Amino acid sequence: MKRRGGGSDAPFTIALGLVALLPRLFVAIAWAREPVWDGHYYHFGAERIAAGLGYSEDVTIAGHLVWKPWSHYPVGYSGMLSCFYRLFGSGLLVAPIVNALTGALTVIIVHRLARYYLSPGRARVAGGIAALHPGLIAYSAVVMTEPLAALLVLGAALAALRWRGRWRAAVLAGALLGLAVLVRPSSLLAAPLVALTQPRPVWRAALSGAVATVTALLVVTPWSLRNCRTMDGCALVSTNGGWNLAIGAITTTGRFTTLRASDGCPVVTGQVQQDRCWAKVGRDLIRANPGRWLAMIPKKLGETFDHESFAIEYLREANPAAWPEERRAAGRGLLTLFHRLLMIAAALGVVAAPRRERARGVDWATQLTLAALILLAGVHALTSLAHPFYWFAIAAPLIAALPFGGRPEQGPVGRFALGLIASTVLVHAVFFGDDRYHLIITPVLCLLAAGALRQPSRPPSAAPPALDAPRSS
C-alpha cells in the first residue's frame, strides 16, 4: 500500500525518533528507582530468566528452597528485559533505558503509520504529539508492560499495511501480535482487526484476520505447552485472567481491589487452580447479580479513560521524597489535562470539517452537528466534577461505524485504530479499569487527533478517488 503524498519523509522520521528519545532517556536516567507494584515482579522475573532459572521463584518447603515455575504474570515483558539483563546486568537503569528506546520506536511507527492515513503535514503532527506526549515520556521510568505491548501492536499494524493485500501481511502481523499476547494477553483481540487493514473482497480480508489470529496463537503455543508441562494445569499465557474477572465482579470503585481468601478461594494448591477458582467466583457473582455488574461498567471505563495518573503514583511510590504533594498534584494535573484534550481531539478525528460549497447540505449539517456535540461534550467533561471522558472512547468508534454522510475517510489505519479503541473498551468493561491501561491506545489517539476535522470523503455521486491517491487535508 502506498503512502499518502510524495516522498518517504524518512529524514523527518529519524529526527522525530531522536526528539522522542532525548526526554525519555532523561526521565529514564533521572527518575529510575527500585521497581514497585507489578514492576517489582516483572523485574524479578527478568532476573530469574537472565540467570538461567526460567520464569520461576524459589519457595521454602520444610526448610529447603524449592524451585517453582511461575506464570501469574505474562512472561513477555520479563522475557524481553532478560535479554538486556544478560548483556548489561540487571541494574536499575537498564529497564527504564529499554523503555525509553521502546517509546522512541513507537513514535517512529506512529509517524510511519500516519503516512498511510493522513497528509504528510498531518502525519508529522501525529508523530509530534506522540513524541512530546508527557504521559508517554513519564512512563519511560515505569517498569511496566504497556509501552512494549503498544509497540508490538502498532508494529503489527504497520506490517499489515506495508505488505497489504499479500498473505505475508497477515503472517507477519500475526507473529508480532503473538509476541504482544505474551506481553499482554488481551492483545489477542487485535489479531482479527488485521482484517480491517486489508483490501476487498471482504472474504479475503476476513481470511487475513483469521490467518493473523492463528499465527498469533502459534507463536504463543510453545509457552502454553510449557505451562501445561510445568504448572498444575494448562494456561494460555498467564494465570491472572480469572483473578482479574473476580476483581471486576467484586470491585466497588471500578478499579483494582485486593482479593482475599474470604472472597471465595480459601484453599489454593497452585497458580492454575487459583486462577480457575477466581474465574468461577467472578462468573458466579456476575450470574447472581448481572445488574450490579453492568452498573459498574461506567466506573470501570471512567477509571480507564477519565484521567492519567499512574506514572506519577508509581514514581512517588518508588521515591516519595522526590514527589511531595505539590509536585505530585502538578504532575497528575499535567498528564491528565493533556490526556483529556487528546481524547477530545481524537473523537474529532471521525468528524469532517467540510467546506459548504463542496458538501451536500445534509452532510454539511450532520458533520457540523457532530463536531458541535463533541466540543460541547468536551466542555462538559472538563468542567463537570465527574469528568466523564470515557464517553469519547465509546463515541469515536460508534460515530465512525454509523452511516453519517460527509464523514472523513478512515481507511485501513483509521479502522484499525478505532477497532483497537473499541476492543480496549470491551476488555475493561468486563474486567476492571485503571488509567495505565489506556496507554496501550494512546499512540492511536495521537493518530486520530492529528486527523481531526479533515475534509470529508467525496459524496456518493462523485467518482471515488483511488485508495492510495494523495490527498490534502
Side-chain angles (χ1 to χ4, degrees):
M1 179 179 177
K2 296 179 181 179
R3 300 171 180 84
R4 297 189 184 278
S8 68
D9 212 13
F12 181 84
T13 303
I14 296 170
L16 183 67
L18 293 174
V19 168
L21 180 60
L22 291 177
R24 286 165 171 78
L25 276 179
F26 172 81
V27 166
I29 294 170
W31 294 358
R33 295 295 186 275
E34 186 75 28
V36 297
W37 297 337
D38 289 359
H40 165 78
Y41 298 100
Y42 294 126
H43 173 70
F44 174 76
E47 286 185 313
R48 296 281 292 186
I49 297 172
L53 299 172
Y55 203 45
S56 66
E57 60 183 336
D58 290 329
V59 296
T60 302
I61 300 178
H64 300 284
L65 285 178
V66 177
W67 179 87
K68 182 180 178 182
W70 213 25
S71 195
H72 180 71
Y73 291 94
V75 68
Y77 183 54
S78 294
M80 184 273 290
L81 286 181
S82 71
C83 299
F84 292 92
Y85 285 5
R86 286 184 180 180
L87 292 173
F88 305 109
S90 58
L92 296 182
L93 288 179
V94 177
I97 289 175
V98 171
N99 284 351
L101 294 169
T102 299
L105 285 173
T106 301
V107 170
I108 287 172
I109 291 179
V110 166
H111 180 239
R112 302 318 295 176
L113 273 176
R115 295 278 296 165
Y116 292 99
Y117 179 46
L118 303 167
S119 65
R122 284 183 179 258
R124 290 184 171 192
V125 171
I129 296 172
L132 301 177
H133 190 295
L136 296 178
I137 292 172
Y139 221 77
S140 299
V142 177
V143 185
M144 299 291 282
T145 62
E146 284 73 24
L148 180 59
L151 173 67
L152 291 169
V153 171
L154 289 184
L158 186 60
L161 291 167
R162 173 64 180 80
W163 289 282
R164 187 172 186 264
R166 308 178 195 174
W167 291 116
R168 187 189 312 173
V171 173
L172 291 177
L176 287 170
L177 287 170
L179 296 176
V181 171
L182 291 172
V183 175
R184 185 173 174 77
S186 60
S187 300
L188 186 59
L189 293 179
L193 300 180
V194 170
L196 301 179
T197 68
Q198 299 305 297
R200 293 181 179 182
V202 173
W203 69 264
R204 184 179 175 89
L207 188 57
S208 294
V211 169
T213 304
V214 171
T215 303
L217 290 172
L218 288 175
V219 170
V220 172
T221 295
W223 181 253
S224 303
L225 293 175
R226 173 265 188 192
N227 289 338
C228 293
R229 186 179 69 255
T230 63
M231 305 294 294
D232 58 307
C234 291
L236 180 66
V237 176
S238 58
T239 56
N240 59 354
W243 174 283
N244 291 339
L245 183 65
I247 292 171
I250 291 172
T251 181
T252 59
T253 63
R255 62 184 305 165
F256 176 83
T257 187
T258 302
L259 295 178
R260 308 181 189 282
S262 58
D263 290 323
C265 292
V267 179
V268 174
T269 59
Q271 288 187 6
V272 175
Q273 181 271 334
Q274 179 191 52
D275 194 52
R276 291 174 180 173
C277 178
W278 285 122
K280 183 178 184 303
V281 168
R283 291 193 302 269
D284 290 346
L285 287 171
I286 294 168
R287 280 196 294 262
N289 195 348
R292 179 193 176 278
W293 181 74
L294 291 171
M296 286 303 302
I297 289 176
K299 287 188 176 182
K300 295 176 184 179
L301 297 181
E303 291 293 342
T304 304
F305 294 106
D306 288 355
H307 61 95
E308 188 167 301
S309 59
F310 181 85
I312 301 299
E313 295 303 314
Y314 179 103
L315 294 169
R316 185 172 186 262
E317 180 74 13
N319 187 13
W323 293 91
E325 184 57 31
E326 184 177 355
R327 187 184 184 197
R328 173 198 180 205
R332 287 170 56 111
L334 172 64
L335 268 58
T336 293
L337 178 60
F338 195 96
H339 165 70
R340 288 172 175 172
L341 294 175
L342 184 64
M343 290 285 289
I344 297 171
L348 290 171
V350 298
V351 178
R355 298 173 184 171
R356 190 165 188 173
E357 65 273 13
R358 293 181 57 186
R360 295 181 300 182
V362 173
D363 293 348
W364 180 84
T366 298
Q367 296 302 308
L368 186 63
T369 301
L370 288 172
L373 288 174
I374 289 172
L375 290 172
L376 287 173
V379 171
H380 169 71
L382 285 168
T383 56
S384 106
L385 293 177
H387 300 299
F389 279 85
Y390 70 91
W391 280 110
F392 293 101
I394 297 172
L398 185 60
I399 291 172
L402 293 175
F404 291 120
R407 58 188 177 181
E409 177 190 349
Q410 290 303 324
V413 176
R415 291 194 295 268
F416 183 89
L418 292 163
L420 197 60
I421 293 171
S423 69
T424 303
V425 168
L426 176 63
V427 167
H428 297 291
V430 172
F431 294 97
F432 63 91
D434 194 283
D435 67 281
R436 69 185 171 105
Y437 299 135
H438 75 238
L439 269 295
I440 302 291
I441 62 167
T442 292
V444 301
L445 294 178
C446 297
L447 283 167
L448 291 171
L453 300 177
R454 289 170 292 152
Q455 292 301 307
S457 303
R458 292 177 183 268
S461 59
L467 176 63
D468 303 323
R471 64 186 261 213
S472 59
S473 44

